[in-house]
Amino acid sequence: MSERRIAGADRVDGEVTVPGDKSISHRALILGALIRGRSYVGNVSPAADVAATARVLQDCGGSVRPFGDGRVSLDGAGAGVSLRSPARPLDCANSGTTMRLMAGVLAAHEAVATLTGDASLQRRPMERVAVPLRAMGAQLRTDDGHAPLLVQGTATPQGLEHHLEVASAQVKSAILLAGLSAQGTTVVHEPVPTRDHTERLLRACGADLSADGESITLRPARLDPFGLRVPGDISCAAFFMALAAARIGSTVRCPGVGLNPGRTGILEVLEEMGARVEVEEGPPAAEVEPQGTVIVTAAPLHGVTVEPAMVPRCIDELPAIAVVATQAEGRTQFRGAGELRHKETDRIAALVAGLRSLGVAAEETADGLVIDGPAQLRPARLDAAGDHRLAMAWAIAAALTDPSAGDCVIVGADTVAVSYPGFFDDLGALTTESR
Ligand code: S3P
């Protein structure tokens, strides 16, 4: 298991250009491989998760051709007819997005496939995606609700009206992807709005798709190939923004970051805690996704309550916000965040355990956690628990310890490659490690 020692930072100051957005990259590869004609995507995320999507598409006969520098060209034959049964099980590795979105794609192809993944992915809930796809006409079998997920798709999927039980952009996207070649209309109702990357890209390709903030309605239409430069990943930038917010005297500038409203909750929460957050909006990526430069500067922080409606807008950033909360005066509470228990690990339990070993007063609740700050973080041995976002959260917590107090050790630090292979290099450039 990889270990990495990180000391308290002497400074946190500078600019970080983060890699392309992981969520958008998955969708761009999938849609490019489906839509008839040639699409181009630039600045594709180097995440291992995105590589899993590319490999799974290729294993199903999809034409996904990287040609250097994060650029990929894709050729599809049309929704519902681009892919065929793979010769072997489809390895989604650690990627829930790959498994759930590809379940939707394959459900609408005349194909039989088994989607599998690593031990962590095999513990995550899959019935939430299997149930609506069965109602659209595909056959899906889970192993007691989990992967391996056997999909026997149909060439004639039926439109569906579905109410999501949990707010999930992955499940919503799986249904919409299956709905692209369905007979009739597909409607998805969301309990709380989630990231709408799939809807935006579909609309840019000419889909007949409308959304009113509560439901999305899709009618089959001919789709056009597209060109897209993926904006920077705000979920990667979040760790540096959090570090800058939490350490007095710090500032960080992140240019070219995606600013999809379903993802910008971190900016609002940091601002509410007292940090200075400036956003300079830039040109949208091919008019599909908003993006711009974000500058975060430290200021005295106070605890906040992150309410359930905010949670989907910063779900992947909650570990970073939890670390910021350790430096805030008073109580920070996450409510309605039970989904954290179903991520790459149980992030509620893992965060509380790690924060306590850093000397923080933290408590689990059924659907969230409570952190009382401020705390002087002390060096500790921190387990990433096979979870990339925990590894990065522990790295910024380590950077917040006293530089003269000794190192933190992050166990399983290499897992950052799941979303951000260059994370430790970028962290190093932003901070001066004392040894
Ligand atoms: C994602 C949606 C979220 C998020 C995940 C990526 C996506 O998951 O946590 O990292 O790309 O659609 P859920 O849809 O399960 O909430």
Side-chain angles (χ1 to χ4, degrees), residues 128 163-169 171 189-192 194 339 342:
R128 56 176 64 182
H163 291 261
L164 293 178
E165 275 174 31
V166 286
S168 167
V171 177
H189 300 278
E190 296 191 277
V192 183
T194 62
E339 273 300 294
H342 305 297

Side-chain angles (χ1 to χ4, degrees), residues 36-60:
R36 189 178 171 83
R38 178 161 299 176
S39 295
Y40 289 97
V41 189
N43 200 34
V44 172
S45 161
D49 271 9
V50 173
T53 288
R55 210 174 43 237
V56 164
L57 286 166
Q58 287 166 338
D59 283 355
C60 297

Side-chain angles (χ1 to χ4, degrees), residues 15 26 136 182 280 314 362 386 419:
E15 180 169 303
H26 284 294
M136 296 178 88
E280 297 164 3
C314 57
S419 63

Side-chain angles (χ1 to χ4, degrees), residues 7-8 10 379 401-407 434-435:
D10 294 318
T401 58
D402 178 347
S404 61
D407 298 346
S434 47
R435 71 205 80 126

Side-chain angles (χ1 to χ4, degrees), residues 23 27 97 100 128 167-170 195 315-316 343 389:
S23 275
R27 288 150 170 86
T97 310
R100 295 195 179 116
R128 56 176 64 182
S168 167
Q170 294 176 354
R195 62 190 71 190
I315 182 75
D316 294 334
K343 296 297 178 187
R389 299 204 202 277

Side-chain angles (χ1 to χ4, degrees), residues 36 45 73 123 132 148 157 176 221 243 254 266 291 300 310 322 354 376 406 413:
R36 189 178 171 83
S45 161
S73 77
R123 284 193 294 269
L176 293 176
L243 177 56
C254 299
I266 171 87
Q291 62 176 294
M310 173 59 93
Q376 171 65 59

Side-chain angles (χ1 to χ4, degrees), residues 8-243:
D10 294 318
R11 60 176 255 283
V12 176
D13 185 28
E15 180 169 303
V16 188
T17 302
V18 292
D21 188 87
K22 179 162 86 73
S23 275
I24 299 172
S25 297
H26 284 294
R27 288 150 170 86
L29 295 187
I30 290 172
L31 283 176
L34 293 182
I35 293 172
R36 189 178 171 83
R38 178 161 299 176
S39 295
Y40 289 97
V41 189
N43 200 34
V44 172
S45 161
D49 271 9
V50 173
T53 288
R55 210 174 43 237
V56 164
L57 286 166
Q58 287 166 338
D59 283 355
C60 297
S63 167
V64 181
R65 285 188 310 274
F67 57 100
D69 235 10
R71 291 174 303 164
V72 178
S73 77
L74 304 122
D75 286 276
V81 295
S82 292
L83 304 182
R84 56 171 186 266
S85 301
R88 50 178 179 168
L90 299 169
D91 183 5
C92 303
N94 190 242
S95 177
T97 310
T98 305
M99 184 169 284
R100 295 195 179 116
L101 269 56
M102 286 306 300
V105 169
L106 290 164
H109 277 78
E110 208 167 8
V112 181
T114 300
L115 292 154
T116 188
D118 68 10
S120 152
L121 187 53
Q122 291 193 39
R123 284 193 294 269
R124 299 180 64 184
M126 290 299 149
E127 276 298 322
R128 56 176 64 182
V129 75
V131 167
L133 296 175
R134 283 185 197 117
M136 296 178 88
Q139 291 181 43
L140 288 96
R141 206 168 66 215
T142 62
D143 179 2
D144 201 18
H146 302 98
L149 182 58
L150 179 70
V151 184
Q152 185 168 352
T154 169
T156 54
Q158 304 297 315
L160 171 77
E161 177 154 10
H162 185 73
H163 291 261
L164 293 178
E165 275 174 31
V166 286
S168 167
Q170 294 176 354
V171 177
K172 169 178 68 174
S173 298
I175 297 168
L176 293 176
L177 289 167
L180 289 177
S181 54
Q183 290 166 6
T185 305
T186 298
V187 185
V188 184
H189 300 278
E190 296 191 277
V192 183
T194 62
R195 62 190 71 190
D196 64 350
H197 303 307
T198 306
E199 296 93 305
R200 283 171 183 263
L201 190 50
L202 280 174
R203 235 189 258 116
C205 297
D208 181 353
L209 184 145
S210 57
D212 63 9
E214 275 174 24
S215 54
I216 303 103
T217 303
L218 174 73
R219 292 181 185 84
R222 205 181 67 91
L223 300 178
D224 301 319
F226 60 91
L228 175 72
R229 186 176 195 283
V230 177
D233 196 331
I234 191 168
S235 298
C236 294
F239 292 96
F240 304 126
M241 295 174 186
L243 177 56

